Amino acid sequence: MNTRLSVNINKIATLRNARGGNMPDVVKCALDCEKFGAQGITVHPRPDERHIKRQDVLDLKPLLTTEFNIEGNPKEPFNNLVLGVLPAQVTLVPDAENAITSNAGWDTVRNKEFLKSVCKRFKDAGIRVSIFVDPVEEMVKNAADCGCDRVELYTEAYAKNYSTNREQAIEPYYKAAVAAQKCGLGLNAGHDLNLDNLRYFAQTIPGLLEVSIGHALICDALYLGLENTIQAYRRELR
C-alpha cells in the first residue's frame, strides 16, 4: 500500500495575500499540484482568512479531481462552510484563532460529547471525518468512540526529535497506529513532515493512508520547482 500525498496549499495563499491581487493564483496552483501528482488537496481556512479564504474553498470544490480535505476548528462558520462544500474529508483540529499553526491534538476524553455531535453532523452529510490527535493511545481509542472514520497523528514531536533518535521519536506513533488499527480507524498524519523524515515514518507506521504536507513542500519547491518537489515526496512514500 502506498500512502497518499495530500498537498496543503495554505502557504501559496499566504504568498498571494502578502500583496493582494491573485498572484499566485491559488486555484491554478491547486490544479497544477494535482497534475504534478498530488493525490489530494488540503486547505485549512481560519477565521481571519490570513491564508485560505472562504471564497478559495468555494472556488476549489467544483474543479478539483482528487480528494478535497478541509481542516479546521469545528465552530459554526467553519461547519457551515464545510457542509456547504461537501468535501471528501473534514479534519477536526482544535487550533485557537490566534495560533500561528496547529500545535496540539484533541483531548478526546474531555471533548468526547462535543466531538460525537460534530462527527455525526458531518457523517450524516456523507463526509469522511478525521480527528487530529497527539500520538497517545488513549486519545486514539476515545476518538473511535466519537464516531470518526480516521485519526490524523500530529507529527511535530516526531519531526523535532527525528535527527536525535528516530527510533525513540517514532515509538509513540507506532503504538498509536496499532491502537487505531485495533479500533478500526483509518490513519492519516501531518505536521512538519519533510523529505528528510518522511520515508522512515511511512515505512515504519502500519496502515498509514495519507499524509498532508504543506509548509516543507512549498519551501522545497522554491529550489526544486513544484512538479519536481511533489514527485520527490511521492517517491518517499512508495
Side-chain angles (χ1 to χ4, degrees):
M1 180 190 72
N2 289 332
T3 304
R4 297 171 66 87
L5 172 65
S6 183
V7 174
N8 186 317
I9 60 171
N10 280 14
K11 286 297 182 293
I12 294 171
T14 301
L15 181 59
R16 175 200 61 190
N17 295 353
R19 288 287 296 269
N22 195 39
M23 184 183 291
D25 184 323
V26 169
V27 173
K28 182 180 184 305
C29 287
L31 297 177
D32 285 339
C33 286
E34 290 186 323
K35 182 171 65 176
F36 298 153
Q39 296 154 300
I41 298 295
T42 292
V43 295
H44 190 145
R46 288 185 165 87
D48 61 6
E49 295 195 322
R50 64 180 181 267
H51 34 63
I52 290 295
K53 298 179 181 295
R54 175 185 176 86
Q55 190 59 50
D56 295 327
V57 179
L58 298 174
D59 292 342
L60 285 163
K61 178 56 168 66
L63 299 176
L64 296 178
T65 58
T66 60
E67 285 196 353
F68 194 19
N69 172 45
I70 304 179
E71 300 179 343
N73 197 328
K75 298 181 178 180
E76 274 311 288
F78 175 84
N79 296 346
N80 291 334
L81 176 61
V82 172
L83 290 168
V85 170
L86 298 178
Q89 177 174 269
V90 59
T91 301
L92 311 181
V93 183
D95 53 345
E97 291 188 12
N98 61 350
I100 295 175
T101 185
S102 304
N103 55 18
W106 284 97
D107 182 333
T108 54
V109 178
R110 181 176 299 177
N111 297 284
K112 183 175 291 186
E113 293 308 312
F114 170 70
L115 290 170
K116 276 184 178 180
S117 65
V118 173
C119 288
K120 183 178 187 305
R121 188 175 177 189
F122 286 133
K123 289 184 69 172
D124 284 349
I127 304 169
R128 186 172 71 228
V129 181
S130 178
I131 296 179
F132 194 66
V133 295
D134 295 314
V136 177
E137 293 171 82
E138 182 185 18
M139 295 303 149
V140 172
K141 293 174 183 176
N142 281 277
D145 293 339
C146 295
C148 63
D149 303 288
R150 297 185 183 185
V151 289
E152 178 174 330
L153 298 181
Y154 171 43
T155 49
E156 190 270 342
Y158 163 75
K160 181 179 180 180
N161 296 303
Y162 173 81
S163 61
T164 302
N165 186 330
R166 69 180 190 176
E167 291 82 9
Q168 183 177 337
I170 206 166
E171 183 178 359
Y173 292 89
Y174 178 84
K175 291 179 178 178
V178 171
Q181 286 188 321
K182 289 180 179 178
C183 294
L185 292 175
L187 188 69
N188 299 341
H191 204 92
D192 289 348
L193 295 173
N194 57 43
L195 288 175
D196 293 326
N197 60 42
L198 179 59
R199 178 174 296 189
Y200 180 70
F201 189 87
Q203 289 179 342
T204 307
I205 297 301
L208 183 62
L209 299 175
E210 174 186 297
V211 292
S212 174
I213 304 178
H215 183 78
L217 189 149
I218 299 304
C219 289
D220 288 330
L222 293 174
Y223 294 92
L224 305 176
L226 187 58
E227 182 172 7
N228 287 338
T229 299
I230 289 173
Q231 289 299 310
Y233 275 84
R234 286 286 305 276
R235 286 193 294 273
E236 295 303 299
L237 293 170
R238 294 194 181 108

